[in-house]
């Protein structure tokens, strides 16, 4: 369970280091506490770079329109369109990665809950087995003490009978 948590935390940290907003979810179940970082909104460096390229292409287009240069304007429009396509692809990749991480975290949390429940059940069964073993040992000791007492009485009585016979 610890290895799974460490693996999930590492994966989350790798994806979440460039995130804008993180939400920490803490699940408490008795004495066990599970803390998971949940990514809700991501903006990676690649996404920021793609947005910057779109902004630059828009600025170049505005400058070309202002200068009245038709060739530069057409080239700037093409560059803007290419930058927009790249930006959309980047956003899709980032969103898909964030969704994959979220699903992985959710699965890890679910598995951790199941493991906790299994551990609790195992502890209950072990406690019950221990209680039964203690009760059996106590009964066995009581029976052995009773038998030893009876044997001692019998031996004492036999000794008294032998002494009386002489």
């Amino acid at each position: 369970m610890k290895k799974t948590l460490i693996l999930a935390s590492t994966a989350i940290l790798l994806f979440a280091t460039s995130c804008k907003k993180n939400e920490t979810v803490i699940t408490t179940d008795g004495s066990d506490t599970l803390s998971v970082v949940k990514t809700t909104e991501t903006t990676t460096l690649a996404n920021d770079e793609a947005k910057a390229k779109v902004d630059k292409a828009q600025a170049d287009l505005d400058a070309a329109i202002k200068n009245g240069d038709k060739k530069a304007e057409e080239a700037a429009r093409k560059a803007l369109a290419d930058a927009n396509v790249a930006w959309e692809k980047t956003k899709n990749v980032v969103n898909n990665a964030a969704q994959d991480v979220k699903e992985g975290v959710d699965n890890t949390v679910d598995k951790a809950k199941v493991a906790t429940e299994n551990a609790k059940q195992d502890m209950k069964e072990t406690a019950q087995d221990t209680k039964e073993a203690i009760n059996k040992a106590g009964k066995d000791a009581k029976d052995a003490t009773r038998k030893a007492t009876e044997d001692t009485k019998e031996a004492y009585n036999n000794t008294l009978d032998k002494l009386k016979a002489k």
Side-chain angles (χ1 to χ4, degrees), residues 2-104:
K2 287 182 181 178
K3 288 180 182 180
T4 306
L5 280 173
I6 291 172
L7 180 62
S9 297
T10 303
I12 291 167
L13 288 175
L14 287 174
F15 285 106
T17 53
S18 62
C19 293
K20 282 187 174 180
K21 181 178 177 185
N22 291 327
E23 178 181 338
T24 302
V25 177
I26 299 176
T27 304
T28 305
D29 190 12
S31 62
D32 298 330
T33 301
L34 177 64
S35 179
V36 178
V37 176
K38 188 174 175 182
T39 305
T40 55
E41 178 184 335
T42 57
T43 305
T44 62
L45 294 177
N47 193 11
D48 290 343
E49 290 170 4
K51 175 70 170 129
K53 287 180 182 181
V54 168
D55 293 342
K56 184 181 179 311
Q58 183 64 48
D60 290 346
L61 176 61
D62 292 343
I65 291 172
K66 184 178 178 184
N67 291 337
D69 187 356
K70 295 293 180 188
K71 252 185 174 180
E73 181 181 338
E74 190 173 316
R77 285 189 192 281
K78 185 178 182 327
L80 179 60
D82 292 344
N84 278 326
V85 168
W87 185 33
E88 288 300 319
K89 285 181 182 177
T90 302
K91 285 195 298 188
N92 288 337
V93 168
V94 169
N95 289 337
N96 290 342
Q99 185 63 29
D100 290 346
V101 170
K102 181 185 180 308
E103 289 171 4

